[in-house]
């Protein structure tokens, strides 16, 4: 590779990383045709490699890419979209949406694109994949592997969602004040879903799934940059930073699962935790608590407990109570039971747990059985604990966690 | 480029309006079960709705359908034409009418659909309508093949 080629490569990589979502948002804002914007942009990237190697890198790579992609997008009309719009309409929509090229900076419409991806008329489970593709620039194959799905099935779902945006004319727009909270919630939920898909990472080694948590963090940062006054966007970023900061400590050298209480805190990413705390403080100062801020506050309390000792269990319990009041989620109730066990003992916690056990969803919810098993073992109910461990092991898909639970089960059998 | 005000990034004003079909699905037996007074109230609500859409300039067309008891369904079964009494779908709600509207985007269409009295007792489906008429579309597809 010549030096020039090398420079072109690097400039392109930087542009792909920093500008992909901005370019797609600009190209597709007028026609809402994300699929053609993606095709046009990938052609522009291909053209850039040759042109930049030949003539050197342009002063403003974003503007160069936008100009070329816009031309390609207008060309594509002839072959693919002329049954839908008049040629002149198409040209105006493409050019208008991408008119600012001549000016200094590309306008950042990524947030509007995110709101389109998480529109209520788009099926909830495809919103996170759609954002990862259009805002981050991952391809269907990468996303499919993150979501444990076949690439062709994921590809089809993405194509269908993009067609819906175009045909039904879902707007690229930031919702009005009155509808913003509900619509923002859908955006944050999709970002969180992208993160948790990467987080569950069964093997603990899959680079693509690990990548997904980083991309979700990137999306959360974009949301915060563009909506700096929304406390829940900040809350989500703080939560994701807290979780990501402990990634390396979740597995030991053999790839075995390490529960939070036993994690080597030296493996935690201290600067990331500090950032999480700062972001959470910024959110808290706005005086409008919400689900993500509370979840981040819980992470913060747990981290403090490990780092500084002391056990603010009463504080933790209060946070779970507040979170349960907002979400009514049985998952929150399960975690709350663990905190209650620390404060009032396993028997009280089991009583609290039995109150939520009526929820049919819990029969197949692995953490319910794992928590129940742990509490039963601590309460000395060995036979019942063994049964709960067996169910928990049977439901667990992550082999490392399964090994951990099997270890617990066999130690229970040795003791008796 | 002209943009509308408001918060956040600009919204495009130069939009090609999209036509949407708002399809009203209703329980037919519900209407006859109503008292005369209730029927008058509902009719008033529909009249007001149609007037509001006409006033805003979004309404292109609006039609009600006779009850499904008057429907006839045709299909081909093993090469033979079959003509049957009754509607196509044997569902609780039946297509009872439609409104063809023109709106800048789906949010605007949803806002109009949400005002339809049918939403309070039935279901409204919002379907984007193709930008060209079928005959033109067929011509274009035939043209692109040759």
């Amino acid at each position: 590779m010549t030096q020039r080629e090398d420079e072109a490569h690097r400039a392109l990589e930087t542009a792909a990383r920093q500008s992909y979502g901005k370019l797609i948002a600009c190209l597709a804002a007028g026609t809402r045709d994300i699929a053609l914007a993606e095709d046009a942009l990938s052609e522009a990237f291909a053209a850039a490699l040759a042109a930049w190697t030949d003539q050197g890198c342009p002063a403003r790579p974003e503007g160069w890419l936008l100009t070329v992609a816009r031309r390609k997008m207008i060309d594509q009309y002839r072959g693919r979209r002329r049954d839908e719009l008049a040629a002149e309409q198409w040209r105006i929509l493409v050019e208008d949406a991408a008119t600012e090229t001549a000016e200094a900076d590309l306008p950042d419409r990524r947030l509007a694109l995110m709101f389109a991806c998480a529109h209520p008329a788009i099926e909830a489970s495809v919103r996170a994949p759609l954002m990862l593709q259009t805002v981050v620039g991952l391809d269907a194959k990468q996303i499919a592997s993150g979501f444990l799905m076949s690439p062709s099935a994921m590809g089809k779902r993405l194509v269908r969602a993009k067609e819906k945006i175009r045909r039904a004319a879902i707007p690229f727009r930031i919702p009005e004040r009155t509808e913003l909270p509900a619509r923002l919630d859908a955006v944050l939920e999709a970002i969180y879903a992208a993160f948790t898909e990467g987080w569950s990472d069964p093997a603990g080694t899959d680079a693509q799934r690990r990548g997904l948590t980083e991309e979700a963090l990137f999306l959360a940062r974009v949301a915060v940059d563009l909506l700096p006054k929304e406390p829940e966007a900040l809350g989500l970023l703080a939560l994701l930073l807290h979780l990501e900061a402990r990634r390396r400590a979740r597995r030991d050298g053999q790839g075995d699962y390490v529960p939070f209480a036993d994690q080597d805190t030296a493996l935690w990413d201290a600067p990331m935790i500090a950032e999480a705390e700062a972001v959470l403080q910024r959110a808290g100062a706005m005086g409008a608590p919400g689900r993500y801020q509370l979840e981040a506050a819980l992470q913060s309390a747990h981290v403090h407990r490990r780092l500084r000792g002391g056990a603010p269990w009463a504080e933790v319990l209060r946070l779970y109570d507040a979170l349960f009041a907002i979400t009514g989620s049985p998952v929150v109730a399960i975690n709350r039971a663990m905190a209650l066990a620390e404060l009032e003992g396993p028997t009280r916690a089991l009583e609290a747990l039995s109150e939520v056990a009526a929820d049919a969803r819990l029969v197949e919810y692995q953490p319910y059985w794992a928590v129940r098993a742990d509490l039963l073992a601590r309460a000395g109910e060995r036979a019942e604990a063994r049964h709960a461990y067996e169910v928990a092991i049977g439901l667990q898909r992550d082999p490392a966690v399964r090994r951990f639970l099997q270890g617990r089960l066999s130690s229970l059998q040795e003791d008796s | 480029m002209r943009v509308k005000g408001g918060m956040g990034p600009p919204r495009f004003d130069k939009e090609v309006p999209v036509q949407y079909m708002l399809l009203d699905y209703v329980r037919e037996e519900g209407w006859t079960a109503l008292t005369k007074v209730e029927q008058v109230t509902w009719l008033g609500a529909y009249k007001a709705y149609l007037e509001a859409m006409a006033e805003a300039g979004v309404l292109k067309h609006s039609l009600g359908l006779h009850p499904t008891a008057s429907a006839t369904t045709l299909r081909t079964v093993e090469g033979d034409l079959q003509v049957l009494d009754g509607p196509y779908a044997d569902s609780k709600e039946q297509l009872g009418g439609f409104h063809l509207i023109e709106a800048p985007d789906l949010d605007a269409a949803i806002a109009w659909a949400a005002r339809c009295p049918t939403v309070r007792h039935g279901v409204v489906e919002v379907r984007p309508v193709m930008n060209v008429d079928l005959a033109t579309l067929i011509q274009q597809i035939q043209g692109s093949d040759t």
Side-chain angles (χ1 to χ4, degrees), chain A residues 29 32 82-85 89 92-93 96-97 100 109 119 121 167-171 173-175, chain B residues 1 7-12 14-16 18 20 104-107 110 128 131-132 137 140 144:
Chain A
R32 306 181 189 100
R82 65 177 178 183
D83 53 334
E84 294 179 21
L85 286 170
Q89 281 177 328
I92 289 170
L93 287 173
D96 260 20
E100 296 87 337
R109 299 210 180 91
H119 194 278
R167 291 197 164 135
I170 289 177
R173 179 169 65 228
I174 296 167
Chain B
M1 186 185 64
M7 57 168 301
R11 168 184 176 180
F12 293 98
K14 202 176 283 173
E15 275 160 340
V16 178
V18 184
Y20 295 90
D105 56 45
L106 183 64
D107 283 351
I110 287 175
N131 209 297
V132 292
L137 178 63
Q140 281 176 345
S144 67

Short mmCIF file of all heavy atoms in Angstrom, two decimals, chain A residues 29 32 82-85 89 92-93 96-97 100 109 119 121 167-171 173-175, chain B residues 1 7-12 14-16 18 20 104-107 110 128 131-132 137 140 144:
data_model
loop_
_atom_site.label_atom_id
_atom_site.label_comp_id
_atom_site.label_asym_id
_atom_site.label_seq_id
_atom_site.Cartn_x
_atom_site.Cartn_y
_atom_site.Cartn_z
N ALA A 29 -33.36 12.54 4.30
CA ALA A 29 -34.36 13.37 5.00
C ALA A 29 -35.51 13.78 4.08
O ALA A 29 -36.66 13.79 4.50
CB ALA A 29 -33.70 14.60 5.60
N ARG A 32 -37.05 10.26 2.40
CA ARG A 32 -37.21 9.23 3.42
C ARG A 32 -36.81 7.86 2.88
O ARG A 32 -37.23 6.83 3.37
CB ARG A 32 -38.66 9.17 3.92
CG ARG A 32 -39.18 10.51 4.40
CD ARG A 32 -40.60 10.39 4.91
NE ARG A 32 -41.14 11.70 5.17
CZ ARG A 32 -41.95 12.35 4.33
NH1 ARG A 32 -42.32 11.79 3.20
NH2 ARG A 32 -42.41 13.54 4.64
N ARG A 82 -38.75 5.60 -10.15
CA ARG A 82 -39.51 6.52 -10.98
C ARG A 82 -41.01 6.20 -10.98
O ARG A 82 -41.79 6.98 -11.48
CB ARG A 82 -38.97 6.55 -12.39
CG ARG A 82 -39.11 5.24 -13.10
CD ARG A 82 -38.61 5.42 -14.50
NE ARG A 82 -38.71 4.15 -15.18
CZ ARG A 82 -38.30 3.96 -16.41
NH1 ARG A 82 -37.76 4.95 -17.07
NH2 ARG A 82 -38.42 2.79 -16.97
N ASP A 83 -41.38 5.04 -10.44
CA ASP A 83 -42.80 4.75 -10.36
C ASP A 83 -43.45 5.49 -9.19
O ASP A 83 -44.64 5.44 -9.02
CB ASP A 83 -43.03 3.25 -10.22
CG ASP A 83 -42.25 2.66 -9.07
OD1 ASP A 83 -41.21 3.25 -8.71
OD2 ASP A 83 -42.68 1.65 -8.51
N GLU A 84 -42.66 6.15 -8.37
CA GLU A 84 -43.24 6.74 -7.17
C GLU A 84 -43.28 8.27 -7.17
O GLU A 84 -44.18 8.88 -6.64
CB GLU A 84 -42.49 6.25 -5.94
CG GLU A 84 -42.71 4.75 -5.76
CD GLU A 84 -41.98 4.18 -4.58
OE1 GLU A 84 -41.63 4.96 -3.69
OE2 GLU A 84 -41.74 2.96 -4.59
N LEU A 85 -42.25 8.87 -7.72
CA LEU A 85 -42.20 10.33 -7.72
C LEU A 85 -41.80 10.81 -9.11
O LEU A 85 -41.13 10.09 -9.85
CB LEU A 85 -41.13 10.82 -6.73
CG LEU A 85 -41.44 10.72 -5.24
CD1 LEU A 85 -40.18 11.03 -4.46
CD2 LEU A 85 -42.54 11.68 -4.84
N GLN A 89 -39.40 16.13 -8.76
CA GLN A 89 -39.67 16.06 -7.31
C GLN A 89 -38.52 15.36 -6.60
O GLN A 89 -38.03 15.80 -5.57
CB GLN A 89 -40.96 15.26 -7.06
CG GLN A 89 -42.24 16.04 -7.31
CD GLN A 89 -43.45 15.15 -7.10
OE1 GLN A 89 -43.42 13.96 -7.34
NE2 GLN A 89 -44.52 15.76 -6.64
N ILE A 92 -35.37 17.50 -6.39
CA ILE A 92 -35.50 18.58 -5.41
C ILE A 92 -35.40 18.04 -3.98
O ILE A 92 -34.72 18.60 -3.13
CB ILE A 92 -36.85 19.32 -5.61
CG1 ILE A 92 -36.77 20.14 -6.90
CG2 ILE A 92 -37.15 20.23 -4.41
CD1 ILE A 92 -38.11 20.72 -7.33
N LEU A 93 -36.06 16.91 -3.75
CA LEU A 93 -36.05 16.35 -2.40
C LEU A 93 -34.65 15.91 -1.99
O LEU A 93 -34.25 16.09 -0.85
CB LEU A 93 -37.02 15.16 -2.31
CG LEU A 93 -38.50 15.52 -2.32
CD1 LEU A 93 -39.35 14.26 -2.40
CD2 LEU A 93 -38.86 16.32 -1.07
N ASP A 96 -32.41 19.33 -1.84
CA ASP A 96 -32.78 20.20 -0.73
C ASP A 96 -32.30 19.66 0.59
O ASP A 96 -31.81 20.38 1.45
CB ASP A 96 -34.30 20.36 -0.67
CG ASP A 96 -34.71 21.68 -1.30
OD1 ASP A 96 -33.89 22.21 -2.06
OD2 ASP A 96 -35.81 22.15 -1.00
N ALA A 97 -32.47 18.35 0.73
CA ALA A 97 -32.10 17.74 2.00
C ALA A 97 -30.60 17.82 2.22
O ALA A 97 -30.13 17.79 3.34
CB ALA A 97 -32.57 16.29 2.02
N GLU A 100 -26.69 21.90 2.28
CA GLU A 100 -25.72 22.66 3.07
C GLU A 100 -24.28 22.28 2.82
O GLU A 100 -23.39 22.75 3.50
CB GLU A 100 -26.02 22.50 4.57
CG GLU A 100 -27.34 23.05 5.02
CD GLU A 100 -28.44 22.03 4.84
OE1 GLU A 100 -28.29 21.10 4.03
OE2 GLU A 100 -29.45 22.15 5.52
N ARG A 109 -28.57 15.63 11.71
CA ARG A 109 -29.97 15.25 11.79
C ARG A 109 -30.13 13.82 12.30
O ARG A 109 -31.16 13.19 12.09
CB ARG A 109 -30.62 15.34 10.41
CG ARG A 109 -30.61 16.73 9.83
CD ARG A 109 -31.81 16.95 8.93
NE ARG A 109 -31.76 18.30 8.39
CZ ARG A 109 -31.16 18.59 7.24
NH1 ARG A 109 -30.61 17.64 6.50
NH2 ARG A 109 -31.13 19.83 6.82
N HIS A 119 -40.09 5.07 15.64
CA HIS A 119 -41.47 5.57 15.52
C HIS A 119 -42.45 4.48 15.97
O HIS A 119 -42.21 3.30 15.74
CB HIS A 119 -41.73 5.94 14.05
CG HIS A 119 -42.96 6.76 13.84
ND1 HIS A 119 -44.20 6.18 13.75
CD2 HIS A 119 -43.15 8.08 13.71
CE1 HIS A 119 -45.11 7.14 13.57
NE2 HIS A 119 -44.49 8.31 13.55
N ALA A 121 -45.01 3.48 14.68
CA ALA A 121 -45.50 2.68 13.56
C ALA A 121 -44.46 1.66 13.08
O ALA A 121 -44.73 0.88 12.18
CB ALA A 121 -45.90 3.60 12.39
N ARG A 167 -42.58 4.29 2.37
CA ARG A 167 -43.93 4.26 1.78
C ARG A 167 -44.96 4.96 2.64
O ARG A 167 -45.85 5.65 2.13
CB ARG A 167 -44.35 2.81 1.54
CG ARG A 167 -43.54 2.17 0.44
CD ARG A 167 -44.21 0.92 -0.05
NE ARG A 167 -43.65 0.52 -1.33
CZ ARG A 167 -43.31 -0.73 -1.63
NH1 ARG A 167 -43.51 -1.68 -0.74
NH2 ARG A 167 -42.81 -1.01 -2.80
N ALA A 168 -44.87 4.77 3.95
CA ALA A 168 -45.86 5.40 4.83
C ALA A 168 -45.46 6.84 5.15
O ALA A 168 -46.19 7.54 5.82
CB ALA A 168 -46.02 4.59 6.11
N ALA A 169 -44.28 7.27 4.66
CA ALA A 169 -43.79 8.63 4.89
C ALA A 169 -43.67 8.96 6.38
O ALA A 169 -44.22 9.94 6.87
CB ALA A 169 -44.67 9.65 4.18
N ILE A 170 -42.94 8.12 7.08
CA ILE A 170 -42.64 8.40 8.49
C ILE A 170 -41.65 9.55 8.53
O ILE A 170 -40.58 9.48 7.90
CB ILE A 170 -42.07 7.14 9.19
CG1 ILE A 170 -43.21 6.12 9.34
CG2 ILE A 170 -41.45 7.49 10.53
CD1 ILE A 170 -42.79 4.81 9.94
N PRO A 171 -41.99 10.63 9.21
CA PRO A 171 -41.14 11.82 9.12
C PRO A 171 -39.82 11.71 9.90
O PRO A 171 -39.76 11.04 10.91
CB PRO A 171 -42.02 12.92 9.73
CG PRO A 171 -42.94 12.20 10.64
CD PRO A 171 -43.17 10.84 10.05
N ARG A 173 -38.12 13.71 12.10
CA ARG A 173 -38.42 14.93 12.84
C ARG A 173 -38.34 14.67 14.33
O ARG A 173 -38.67 13.60 14.81
CB ARG A 173 -39.84 15.38 12.49
CG ARG A 173 -40.27 16.62 13.22
CD ARG A 173 -41.57 17.17 12.66
NE ARG A 173 -42.68 16.28 12.88
CZ ARG A 173 -43.55 15.93 11.94
NH1 ARG A 173 -43.42 16.35 10.71
NH2 ARG A 173 -44.55 15.14 12.25
N ILE A 174 -37.91 15.71 15.04
CA ILE A 174 -37.92 15.62 16.50
C ILE A 174 -39.31 16.00 16.96
O ILE A 174 -39.82 17.06 16.59
CB ILE A 174 -36.85 16.55 17.09
CG1 ILE A 174 -35.49 16.04 16.64
CG2 ILE A 174 -36.94 16.58 18.61
CD1 ILE A 174 -34.37 16.96 16.86
N PRO A 175 -39.97 15.12 17.73
CA PRO A 175 -41.36 15.37 18.10
C PRO A 175 -41.53 16.65 18.90
O PRO A 175 -40.59 17.15 19.52
CB PRO A 175 -41.71 14.15 18.96
CG PRO A 175 -40.70 13.12 18.62
CD PRO A 175 -39.46 13.86 18.25
N MET B 1 -33.76 26.68 0.88
CA MET B 1 -34.69 25.75 1.53
C MET B 1 -35.52 26.49 2.58
O MET B 1 -34.98 27.21 3.40
CB MET B 1 -33.88 24.65 2.21
CG MET B 1 -34.75 23.56 2.78
SD MET B 1 -33.78 22.33 3.70
CE MET B 1 -33.14 23.31 5.04
N MET B 7 -38.45 23.50 17.63
CA MET B 7 -37.20 23.07 18.24
C MET B 7 -36.46 22.10 17.33
O MET B 7 -37.02 21.51 16.43
CB MET B 7 -37.49 22.40 19.57
CG MET B 7 -38.44 21.22 19.45
SD MET B 7 -38.48 20.25 20.95
CE MET B 7 -36.77 19.79 21.10
N GLY B 8 -35.17 21.94 17.60
CA GLY B 8 -34.38 20.92 16.96
C GLY B 8 -34.07 21.23 15.50
O GLY B 8 -34.28 22.34 15.04
N PRO B 9 -33.59 20.22 14.80
CA PRO B 9 -33.22 20.40 13.40
C PRO B 9 -34.41 20.84 12.57
O PRO B 9 -35.55 20.59 12.94
CB PRO B 9 -32.76 19.00 12.98
CG PRO B 9 -32.47 18.27 14.24
CD PRO B 9 -33.36 18.87 15.27
N PRO B 10 -34.15 21.50 11.44
CA PRO B 10 -35.24 22.02 10.63
C PRO B 10 -36.10 20.90 10.06
O PRO B 10 -35.64 19.79 9.85
CB PRO B 10 -34.53 22.76 9.51
CG PRO B 10 -33.16 22.17 9.46
CD PRO B 10 -32.84 21.76 10.85
N ARG B 11 -37.33 21.22 9.81
CA ARG B 11 -38.22 20.26 9.19
C ARG B 11 -38.46 20.75 7.77
O ARG B 11 -38.63 21.93 7.51
CB ARG B 11 -39.53 20.26 9.98
CG ARG B 11 -40.63 19.54 9.29
CD ARG B 11 -41.90 19.67 10.08
NE ARG B 11 -42.96 19.04 9.33
CZ ARG B 11 -44.19 18.99 9.76
NH1 ARG B 11 -44.52 19.53 10.90
NH2 ARG B 11 -45.11 18.40 9.03
N PHE B 12 -38.45 19.82 6.83
CA PHE B 12 -38.59 20.24 5.44
C PHE B 12 -40.00 20.68 5.15
O PHE B 12 -40.96 20.03 5.49
CB PHE B 12 -38.19 19.12 4.50
CG PHE B 12 -36.74 18.84 4.61
CD1 PHE B 12 -36.31 17.80 5.40
CD2 PHE B 12 -35.83 19.65 3.99
CE1 PHE B 12 -34.97 17.57 5.55
CE2 PHE B 12 -34.49 19.41 4.14
CZ PHE B 12 -34.05 18.38 4.91
N LYS B 14 -40.68 21.65 1.94
CA LYS B 14 -40.90 21.25 0.55
C LYS B 14 -41.13 19.75 0.52
O LYS B 14 -40.27 18.97 0.17
CB LYS B 14 -39.68 21.64 -0.28
CG LYS B 14 -40.01 21.76 -1.76
CD LYS B 14 -38.81 22.23 -2.52
CE LYS B 14 -38.55 23.71 -2.37
NZ LYS B 14 -37.31 24.15 -2.97
N GLU B 15 -42.31 19.37 0.96
CA GLU B 15 -42.61 17.95 1.01
C GLU B 15 -43.63 17.62 -0.06
O GLU B 15 -44.50 18.42 -0.37
CB GLU B 15 -43.17 17.58 2.38
CG GLU B 15 -42.07 17.31 3.37
CD GLU B 15 -42.54 17.42 4.80
OE1 GLU B 15 -43.58 18.06 5.03
OE2 GLU B 15 -41.86 16.87 5.67
N VAL B 16 -43.49 16.43 -0.60
CA VAL B 16 -44.50 15.96 -1.54
C VAL B 16 -45.62 15.34 -0.72
O VAL B 16 -45.37 14.41 0.03
CB VAL B 16 -43.89 14.89 -2.48
CG1 VAL B 16 -44.95 14.38 -3.43
CG2 VAL B 16 -42.72 15.49 -3.23
N VAL B 18 -48.51 13.14 0.70
CA VAL B 18 -48.79 11.72 0.51
C VAL B 18 -50.29 11.51 0.71
O VAL B 18 -50.89 12.15 1.57
CB VAL B 18 -48.01 10.88 1.54
CG1 VAL B 18 -48.22 9.39 1.28
CG2 VAL B 18 -46.53 11.23 1.50
N TYR B 20 -53.28 9.16 1.92
CA TYR B 20 -53.52 8.02 2.80
C TYR B 20 -54.98 7.62 2.73
O TYR B 20 -55.86 8.48 2.66
CB TYR B 20 -53.19 8.37 4.25
CG TYR B 20 -51.74 8.67 4.50
CD1 TYR B 20 -51.27 9.97 4.37
CD2 TYR B 20 -50.85 7.67 4.86
CE1 TYR B 20 -49.93 10.26 4.60
CE2 TYR B 20 -49.51 7.96 5.10
CZ TYR B 20 -49.06 9.25 4.96
OH TYR B 20 -47.75 9.53 5.19
N PRO B 104 -48.85 15.66 4.88
CA PRO B 104 -47.42 15.74 4.62
C PRO B 104 -46.66 14.49 5.04
O PRO B 104 -45.64 14.15 4.43
CB PRO B 104 -46.95 16.96 5.43
CG PRO B 104 -48.03 17.24 6.40
CD PRO B 104 -49.31 16.72 5.81
N ASP B 105 -47.11 13.81 6.08
CA ASP B 105 -46.39 12.61 6.52
C ASP B 105 -47.29 11.75 7.39
O ASP B 105 -48.44 12.11 7.66
CB ASP B 105 -45.10 12.98 7.26
CG ASP B 105 -45.35 13.90 8.44
OD1 ASP B 105 -46.30 13.63 9.20
OD2 ASP B 105 -44.61 14.89 8.60
N LEU B 106 -46.74 10.63 7.85
CA LEU B 106 -47.55 9.68 8.61
C LEU B 106 -48.06 10.27 9.92
O LEU B 106 -49.19 9.98 10.35
CB LEU B 106 -46.75 8.40 8.88
CG LEU B 106 -47.53 7.29 9.61
CD1 LEU B 106 -48.69 6.77 8.78
CD2 LEU B 106 -46.62 6.13 10.01
N ASP B 107 -47.25 11.10 10.57
CA ASP B 107 -47.71 11.70 11.83
C ASP B 107 -48.97 12.52 11.62
O ASP B 107 -49.90 12.47 12.43
CB ASP B 107 -46.60 12.57 12.44
CG ASP B 107 -45.54 11.73 13.11
OD1 ASP B 107 -45.75 10.51 13.26
OD2 ASP B 107 -44.49 12.29 13.49
N ILE B 110 -51.83 10.15 11.02
CA ILE B 110 -52.24 9.52 12.27
C ILE B 110 -53.07 10.51 13.10
O ILE B 110 -54.07 10.14 13.72
CB ILE B 110 -51.01 9.02 13.06
CG1 ILE B 110 -50.43 7.77 12.38
CG2 ILE B 110 -51.38 8.69 14.51
CD1 ILE B 110 -49.13 7.27 12.99
N PRO B 128 -50.84 4.08 3.18
CA PRO B 128 -50.38 5.03 2.17
C PRO B 128 -50.83 4.58 0.77
O PRO B 128 -50.85 3.38 0.49
CB PRO B 128 -48.86 4.99 2.29
CG PRO B 128 -48.55 3.71 2.98
CD PRO B 128 -49.74 3.34 3.81
N ASN B 131 -48.22 6.75 -5.34
CA ASN B 131 -48.16 8.10 -5.87
C ASN B 131 -48.66 8.21 -7.31
O ASN B 131 -49.04 9.28 -7.77
CB ASN B 131 -46.71 8.59 -5.79
CG ASN B 131 -46.63 10.07 -5.63
OD1 ASN B 131 -47.05 10.80 -6.51
ND2 ASN B 131 -46.13 10.53 -4.51
N VAL B 132 -48.63 7.12 -8.04
CA VAL B 132 -49.11 7.16 -9.43
C VAL B 132 -50.31 6.23 -9.56
O VAL B 132 -50.46 5.29 -8.79
CB VAL B 132 -48.02 6.70 -10.44
CG1 VAL B 132 -46.91 7.70 -10.48
CG2 VAL B 132 -47.50 5.32 -10.07
N LEU B 137 -48.59 3.22 -13.66
CA LEU B 137 -47.61 2.32 -13.06
C LEU B 137 -47.35 1.13 -13.98
O LEU B 137 -46.20 0.76 -14.24
CB LEU B 137 -48.13 1.85 -11.70
CG LEU B 137 -47.24 0.87 -10.94
CD1 LEU B 137 -45.90 1.52 -10.61
CD2 LEU B 137 -47.92 0.39 -9.67
N GLN B 140 -45.32 2.08 -16.93
CA GLN B 140 -43.91 2.28 -16.59
C GLN B 140 -43.19 0.96 -16.41
O GLN B 140 -42.04 0.80 -16.83
CB GLN B 140 -43.80 3.12 -15.31
CG GLN B 140 -44.01 4.59 -15.59
CD GLN B 140 -44.01 5.42 -14.33
OE1 GLN B 140 -44.13 4.88 -13.23
NE2 GLN B 140 -43.89 6.71 -14.48
N SER B 144 -40.06 -0.35 -18.69
CA SER B 144 -38.73 -0.63 -18.16
C SER B 144 -38.27 -2.03 -18.51
O SER B 144 -37.10 -2.34 -18.43
CB SER B 144 -38.71 -0.44 -16.64
OG SER B 144 -39.50 -1.43 -16.02
#
